[in-house]
Amino acid sequence: MKRALLGCTAAIVSMAGAAKAEDLTLCWAAWDPANALVELSKDFETESGHSMSFEFVPWPNFADRMLNELNSGGQLCDLLIGDSQWIGGGAENGHYVKLNDFFEAEAISMDDFADAAVYAYSTWPKGSENYYALPAMGDALGWFYRKDWFEMPEVQEAFQAEHGRPLAEPTTMAELKEIAAFFQNREIDGQTRYGASIFTERGSEGITMGATAALYTHGFKYETEPGSYQMDGAVNSPEAVAGLEFYKELYECCTPPGYTDAYMEQSLDAFKSGQVAMAMNWFAFFPGLYADPDVGGEKIDFFVNPSANVAASTLGGQGISVVSYSDKQDAALEYIKWFAQPDVQQKWWELGGYPVHTAVIEGDGFEASAPFAGDFLMAMNQVQDFWQEPAYAELLLAMQKRLHDYVVADQGTAQEALDKLIEDWTETFEDEGKL
């Protein structure tokens, strides 16, 4: 490993010696993996002679800030780790450098990365061999729970008596709701606890990311046929309606009081403060949770999104792109080449990032390397994602409104919410000339 690293180092130093040292700015969201990337990137600085600056924006403001930066042709970011949904706009609007020629020249093969990640983070049109990003951060929606509560003899006995089966990690959505309802308002260690923290936030993407965890597993699809933009019978299918009804039932039966506008931070807070037995969130946060002195270690465990009719997980994660407005593109491409190396990807995992390079995730011992590693692999093999259209922001705001109005504000029925969503999306696609 060290010998291979030295060889790569020499190549990068040789490249850097022929060009001036640059100060590159990498833009991303402000969260735990970003801190890990700062640490990882110190190696690039040493090896290349370039220096790295970082612009990390809190998640609630990340999309607005970065999309405004791109749409204005700004030069703040040389490298951008942007959400998967941005890839269509990044490509069609000329924000991202197309990387095909660079990948070919540097022998960087997309076959070395997980298929689902390449499809979601790199390609436009979807499934084509046009690449506008290198997969950077694999992620999906998963779950964690208070293992120490689950294993309490009195809790085990009560659940067995009530449900006729042992209390264990849920494997179906029905079991998830059953367990959440069991813990709702239950007294443990002298405190009232609640079932689960889920996503209900309306302002950015929260309730959409949370509700799709239920919608996808019930059978929700965006189109009747991929690429058709025909949504009637897919978005509002009986299975989709059942999935949305399930999410509302889970919200109403089993969440903490006042939990009407919650996303990543609120879900984590509810779990860390001992309010809830289970919580949904992105795998990106799992290393930090496991290391938490109060709720981590032997007190916590993890599970993949439970199934209903199909196995599915909501996709998170991002690719890393070179911004076309940067005047330091050559140095930015050096970073891409460096980051793509298997040994760098391995260290990325060890520091708390989520690589999707097959040399890491298919390597011996990966599943045993962390208590959530196996669940991560399972989730990444069944991910589904939101629209990646250039108009994705408008599409997302419509879904946020329709879901929040139904689930949280208790307006109308699930069928009505999804029917109205089709009307919203049809108008957007007609304006785009796609219907």
Side-chain angles (χ1 to χ4, degrees):
M1 182 76 72
K2 182 179 288 187
R3 195 169 297 168
L5 174 61
L6 290 174
C8 294
T9 300
I12 293 177
V13 170
S14 176
M15 290 174 59
K20 67 175 183 177
E22 300 281 13
D23 182 7
L24 294 172
T25 298
L26 186 153
C27 298
W28 199 11
W31 59 337
D32 289 350
N35 299 328
L37 190 64
V38 172
E39 186 64 27
L40 180 71
S41 298
K42 292 177 182 178
D43 290 346
F44 173 75
E45 292 179 309
T46 300
E47 296 168 18
S48 69
H50 302 305
S51 58
M52 296 295 297
S53 298
F54 300 90
E55 184 72 19
F56 297 147
V57 181
W59 273 112
N61 311 111
F62 177 55
D64 285 346
R65 172 75 184 282
M66 289 298 110
L67 293 177
N68 287 338
E69 178 71 19
L70 292 175
N71 290 330
S72 67
Q75 292 185 301
L76 170 66
C77 310
D78 303 299
L79 294 151
L80 173 61
I81 301 182
D83 264 347
S84 57
Q85 297 99 324
W86 303 0
I87 197 76
E92 290 196 9
N93 296 323
H95 300 324
Y96 293 164
V97 173
K98 188 177 180 181
L99 298 173
N100 288 57
D101 291 345
F102 172 72
F103 285 166
E104 183 176 357
E106 300 296 341
I108 297 171
S109 173
M110 290 295 95
D111 292 339
D112 292 336
F113 295 83
D115 291 342
V118 172
Y119 178 88
Y121 305 148
S122 302
T123 64
W124 188 262
K126 301 317 300 172
S128 71
E129 293 186 357
N130 298 313
Y131 305 120
Y132 292 87
L134 182 86
M137 175 72 185
D139 204 3
L141 199 68
W143 295 79
F144 41 97
Y145 67 98
R146 286 297 298 263
K147 182 181 178 183
D148 55 338
W149 295 357
F150 274 52
E151 293 178 345
M152 288 179 172
E154 63 273 24
V155 172
Q156 284 276 345
E157 291 170 9
F159 188 87
Q160 179 75 43
E162 188 172 326
H163 296 289
R165 64 179 179 87
L167 176 59
E169 292 181 7
T171 59
T172 68
M173 282 288 170
E175 291 176 356
L176 175 74
K177 189 171 70 174
E178 190 175 76
I179 293 170
F182 170 80
F183 277 103
Q184 186 75 357
N185 294 314
R186 182 167 295 274
E187 186 173 303
I188 297 176
D189 292 336
Q191 295 186 42
T192 300
R193 316 293 183 171
Y194 303 98
S197 53
I198 62 175
F199 297 160
T200 59
E201 179 262 2
R202 177 172 175 170
S204 60
E205 64 174 19
I207 197 166
T208 297
M209 297 298 104
T212 49
L215 287 166
Y216 293 149
T217 66
H218 280 81
F220 171 96
K221 296 291 183 183
Y222 290 95
E223 301 162 292
T224 55
E225 294 292 335
S228 69
Y229 300 98
Q230 297 299 319
M231 297 168 282
D232 192 25
V235 169
N236 60 351
S237 68
E239 294 82 8
V241 169
L244 187 53
E245 289 174 341
F246 172 90
Y247 198 73
K248 180 179 175 67
E249 292 166 5
L250 185 62
Y251 165 72
E252 291 181 334
C253 80
C254 308
T255 57
Y259 204 75
T260 60
D261 191 32
Y263 194 22
M264 294 178 273
E265 182 179 352
Q266 291 78 17
S267 173
L268 292 170
D269 288 347
F271 187 80
K272 290 180 179 181
S273 64
Q275 292 184 64
V276 295
M278 299 181 294
M280 65 163 44
N281 222 310
W282 302 107
F283 273 85
F285 294 107
F286 290 10
L289 283 164
Y290 185 67
D292 188 279
D294 296 321
V295 298
E298 294 301 312
K299 296 179 180 179
I300 196 172
D301 211 345
F302 310 86
F303 58 93
V304 74
N305 193 49
S307 63
N309 300 321
V310 297
S313 297
T314 300
L315 179 76
Q318 301 87 26
I320 183 169
S321 299
V322 175
V323 178
S324 63
Y325 313 114
S326 167
D327 58 5
K328 305 170 185 175
Q329 290 183 22
D330 289 344
L333 289 169
E334 283 186 54
Y335 187 92
I336 297 285
K337 178 181 178 181
W338 169 81
F339 187 75
Q341 297 173 100
D343 55 323
V344 174
Q345 293 281 297
Q346 177 62 40
K347 187 170 182 180
W348 178 221
W349 169 245
E350 292 166 0
L351 289 173
Y354 278 84
V356 288
H357 198 294
T358 56
V360 180
I361 62 176
E362 295 179 5
D364 292 342
F366 178 79
E367 290 193 35
S369 64
F372 41 80
D375 290 330
F376 170 67
L377 288 183
M378 187 182 301
M380 289 303 297
N381 284 326
Q382 62 186 40
V383 288
Q384 297 185 35
D385 197 17
F386 188 75
W387 295 107
Q388 296 191 349
E389 295 285 325
Y392 104 93
E394 185 176 337
L395 300 167
L396 179 59
L397 288 175
M399 192 165 189
Q400 284 285 105
K401 171 177 168 52
R402 297 305 180 188
L403 295 187
H404 199 275
D405 283 353
Y406 169 66
V407 173
V408 178
D410 198 25
Q411 298 178 14
T413 67
Q415 184 74 60
E416 290 167 347
L418 296 174
D419 288 344
K420 290 176 181 177
L421 183 59
I422 290 177
E423 294 176 9
D424 298 334
W425 285 352
T426 297
E427 182 177 347
T428 297
F429 287 129
E430 286 176 347
D431 290 345
E432 293 275 299
K434 295 182 175 179
L435 278 176

